[in-house]
Amino acid sequence: MAVLHLLAIVAFHLLIISEAKDSDFIYKEFTNPKRDTFVYGTFPKDFAWGVATASYQIEGAWDADGKGPSIWDTFTHNGRSHKKQNADVACDSYNKYEEDIAMMKKLGVSHYRFSLSWPRILPKGFANEVNREGIEYYKKLLDALHKANIEPMVTLYHWDLPQVLQDMGGWENEMMANYFAAYADLCFQAFGEQVKLWITFNEPTIFSLFGYELGTDAPGLPHNGYGAYRVGHTVIKAHAKAWHLYDQKYRKSQGGKISIVLHGNWFEPKNPDSEFDRAVAEKASYVELGWFANPIFGDGDYPAIMKDMIANNSRIQQLSTSRLPEFTEDDKRMIEGTFDFFGLNHYTTNLVAHKPTVSEHFASFFMEFNGEMSQDKESWPEPAGSPWLYPVPWGLRKLLNHIKQTYGDVPIYITENGFSEGEGPLNTKDTARINYYKAYINEALKAYLIDSVNLKGYFAWSLMDNFEWRSGYSERFGLYHVDFEDPERPRTPRESANVYAKIIKNNGFPVQAGTDHTEL
Ligand code: GOI
């Protein structure tokens, strides 16, 4: 059956491969010589091609027209980001959204993923005081997208919590699940006619861990060993409540889809011959994604491997109960199956080696695994702008297959993928980013064509340079460059914008006449 399926696909798409040319992405060494071979072929006809952004990172207008402050306004105004930078103005997309849409038209995207600023809509956090001007802004944006024939994918929460809700404990307060559901209800009501793809949360692992465990991100609380787990527990319930609300109250009339976006690295054993390294790498993959994916896409509960790990470590730390909270049976029934697709943000791969890290005296998510993360600095190309972002394209294909094997044949959108460079004078020749996009999109194509992964779309991060959280403007992810020194915030396309536009126009990498191809 599998063989027949593969043959059918090969025949249908004229799947043809060729050895990498010097313009393609080449690794210095690899164990499987075919691994990095470039594949020619195209994505399905209705494939979603998009770009992604987030409200705090692009909008600016931080206190305009009745907007309340978010935890990121507080955090940056306290000087906690790189060079005390903030996003008070950022890309000024609050005023320049029409320019943004013109850029999207040039790229030829079919979809735009952006997020709503909760404190712009509800300055006091709660749904009893609605800021009309906030609603109007997003309605204008949605109308303009509609006119441009671009489908919106709207994230309800991309990290900019109203400060007033943080003053009540933020995501560590269980009541947040209800407050979030009320905010979601209002958004479905206000925008649901125009929005057919909803995302509840962007990367809950990341804002839990960096905001409430390490404290390097807003709200900056170093609640090591327990903060992130408490946050995650409430966020999962908040997501499930919003999903059920949409399902029961809006799905029939509005006909959209709603799900969650999870961050996933691929984890590769540092020494593939070591069963210890293999076991820790596997654990890392099952826990990073599975913390949120297993409850939602699996059986309603945390992965067993995660529950055991944290319970054991808590025992070593002389605690009477696990630091990971438990779901009730009712919780599990409410949470299980609350998805319409799988939203995946993926950027890089890590090597994992076994190393005893669990301590009797200090608890931390990052020490829970008895493992150590690193990068293969010998074989992987240097990251250009973000020290953590090593381009490892084959990791994406492995991760997509892992998702299919672990959570079933669910429709997957790659909701973020992209590459950064450092600050500096405008250089439109962004070869490293071009190589990154070509190679990663090609691995996505392999997952679709060869591995039959149910891939529905791909969103590049990001449309333009923007405020990169604690790194300020020092890491640039844009297909378009933005000059943050100029009050006009002029945007200039980089070469990668043209390359991405061409990939979109071709719906992948069709076979070209006159090039040297070998059949698979
Ligand atoms: C998305 O997050 C997000 O959705 C967008 O809003 C965002 O703009 C976009 O990606 C681009 O980033 C070497 C413990 C140096 C502490 C290695 C572990 C620093 C610090 C590896 C691991 C990692 C993408 C910063 C998810 C945060 C960048 C999560 C990617 C800093 C490191 C670490 C490291 C670590 N991450 N983020 N860091």
Side-chain angles (χ1 to χ4, degrees):
M1 178 58 209
V3 173
L4 276 180
H5 189 59
L6 180 62
L7 280 177
I9 286 174
V10 170
F12 186 71
H13 291 275
L14 276 173
L15 184 66
I16 287 175
I17 61 168
S18 90
E19 295 312 315
K21 313 269 178 343
D22 37 22
S23 62
D24 294 325
F25 205 77
I26 303 174
Y27 291 90
K28 287 178 206 123
E29 47 176 289
F30 42 85
T31 40
N32 170 8
K34 286 254 182 271
R35 190 191 64 192
D36 302 315
T37 304
F38 202 83
V39 166
Y40 290 85
T42 53
F43 288 92
K45 275 216 155 48
D46 59 351
F47 197 69
W49 287 105
V51 284
T53 64
S55 48
Y56 184 68
Q57 295 180 274
I58 66 160
E59 283 178 5
W62 80 278
D63 65 349
D65 301 340
K67 178 182 168 292
S70 80
I71 55 175
W72 272 97
D73 292 312
T74 307
F75 191 78
T76 55
H77 293 164
N78 285 334
R80 297 286 305 272
S81 280
H82 175 74
K83 290 190 180 162
K84 301 191 186 334
Q85 289 167 340
N86 61 54
D88 289 3
V89 181
C91 308
D92 197 20
S93 286
Y94 188 69
N95 298 301
K96 294 190 181 306
Y97 65 92
E98 275 171 334
E99 224 176 287
D100 296 348
I101 293 172
M103 284 142 62
M104 290 179 226
K105 281 309 279 184
K106 285 227 172 88
L107 290 169
V109 296
S110 58
H111 287 66
Y112 178 40
R113 173 173 178 246
F114 66 95
S115 80
L116 304 176
S117 160
W118 186 342
R120 192 180 294 291
I121 295 170
L122 304 175
K124 301 268 164 65
F126 296 106
N128 56 2
E129 199 182 311
V130 180
N131 180 27
R132 279 288 131 208
E133 286 169 285
I135 303 260
E136 281 319 305
Y137 169 63
Y138 294 114
K139 279 203 179 288
K140 278 190 304 190
L141 172 60
L142 287 165
D143 282 341
L145 285 168
H146 184 74
K147 283 205 191 85
N149 211 7
I150 298 170
E151 278 276 325
M153 177 187 263
V154 178
T155 309
L156 289 166
Y157 188 78
H158 199 128
W159 310 354
D160 43 358
L161 186 71
Q163 179 60 44
V164 284
L165 295 180
Q166 186 55 47
D167 296 342
M168 301 172 65
W171 293 108
E172 284 176 301
N173 176 353
E174 284 182 29
M175 292 305 291
M176 277 298 300
N178 294 331
Y179 308 156
F180 177 77
Y183 160 61
D185 196 359
L186 180 91
C187 293
F188 299 150
Q189 213 174 341
F191 311 118
E193 288 301 313
Q194 294 157 290
V195 179
K196 303 303 157 200
L197 289 169
W198 288 102
I199 306 286
T200 53
F201 289 94
N202 180 68
E203 299 184 346
T205 43
I206 303 299
F207 76 79
S208 317
L209 287 169
F210 289 84
Y212 294 83
E213 155 104 24
L214 290 174
T216 56
D217 284 13
L221 301 172
H223 293 174
N224 274 289
Y226 67 94
Y229 300 141
R230 294 174 57 100
V231 166
H233 209 65
T234 295
V235 166
I236 290 168
K237 289 193 232 177
H239 160 82
K241 277 179 197 271
W243 189 92
H244 282 292
L245 188 79
Y246 189 82
D247 196 49
Q248 283 155 25
K249 199 167 157 189
Y250 297 98
R251 190 189 291 280
K252 213 169 151 225
S253 57
Q254 299 185 349
K257 292 186 159 65
I258 173 162
S259 221
I260 191 164
V261 162
L262 302 181
H263 178 264
N265 277 337
W266 177 248
F267 298 97
E268 189 73 11
K270 185 166 183 185
N271 173 3
D273 298 327
S274 153
E275 69 177 277
F276 295 106
D277 288 11
R278 286 204 306 270
V280 192
E282 198 167 290
K283 190 155 67 173
S285 293
Y286 279 112
V287 174
E288 199 213 353
L289 269 185
W291 176 2
F292 291 84
N294 206 75
I296 295 165
F297 298 86
D299 62 4
D301 199 1
Y302 298 116
I305 197 171
M306 179 176 186
K307 290 194 289 187
D308 293 348
M309 174 177 83
I310 299 168
N312 277 330
N313 295 346
S314 302
R315 221 168 287 131
I316 291 169
Q317 289 146 359
Q318 315 268 317
L319 300 167
S320 56
T321 54
S322 176
R323 285 178 280 103
L324 183 69
E326 275 175 36
F327 289 122
T328 65
E329 288 308 313
D330 284 349
D331 289 340
K332 289 182 207 168
R333 273 194 301 275
M334 178 190 65
I335 294 161
E336 182 183 354
T338 53
F339 66 91
D340 296 331
F341 55 86
F342 197 116
L344 174 71
N345 290 356
H346 174 77
Y347 288 87
T348 193
T349 287
N350 283 296
L351 296 181
V352 188
H354 172 77
K355 185 190 170 185
T357 51
V358 172
S359 155
E360 271 176 65
H361 311 290
F362 184 76
S364 152
F365 174 85
F366 296 94
M367 293 159 72
E368 215 91 83
F369 294 81
N370 283 324
E372 186 179 54
M373 307 278 180
S374 62
Q375 283 92 12
D376 185 349
K377 294 184 178 155
E378 298 287 299
S379 337
W380 299 348
E382 273 285 300
S386 312
W388 52 272
L389 214 180
Y390 282 78
V392 193
W394 51 263
L396 172 59
R397 182 176 175 190
K398 288 203 181 190
L399 182 62
L400 289 168
N401 278 281
H402 167 84
I403 292 171
K404 183 180 171 180
Q405 276 159 24
T406 312
Y407 308 109
D409 194 12
V410 22
I412 302 175
Y413 287 89
I414 297 169
T415 38
E416 280 181 34
N417 176 242
F419 194 65
S420 64
E421 61 192 82
E423 213 146 28
L426 170 62
N427 167 27
T428 52
K429 269 184 91 68
D430 54 342
T431 313
R433 182 179 289 106
I434 291 169
N435 289 340
Y436 182 99
Y437 276 120
K438 277 191 185 163
Y440 270 80
I441 295 171
N442 203 250
E443 293 296 323
L445 182 67
K446 291 178 195 173
Y448 165 65
L449 286 179
I450 302 170
D451 313 328
S452 303
V453 169
N454 192 356
L455 195 60
K456 292 291 184 195
Y458 176 93
F459 291 73
W461 183 274
S462 179
L463 171 62
M464 60 192 152
D465 292 345
N466 55 51
F467 185 77
E468 180 56 23
W469 308 110
R470 89 201 73 114
S471 303
Y473 299 102
S474 69
E475 296 177 30
R476 306 295 190 95
F477 279 87
L479 293 166
Y480 281 74
H481 170 271
V482 178
D483 183 353
F484 295 101
E485 304 289 315
D486 187 326
E488 293 301 314
R489 299 298 192 272
R491 290 107 154 99
T492 314
R494 294 192 169 101
E495 238 171 60
S496 55
N498 302 328
V499 171
Y500 189 45
K502 195 170 157 205
I503 295 172
I504 294 174
K505 190 156 181 274
N506 290 335
N507 200 23
F509 309 95
V511 180
Q512 274 150 23
T515 32
D516 179 23
H517 295 114
T518 14
E519 277 196 51
L520 185 70

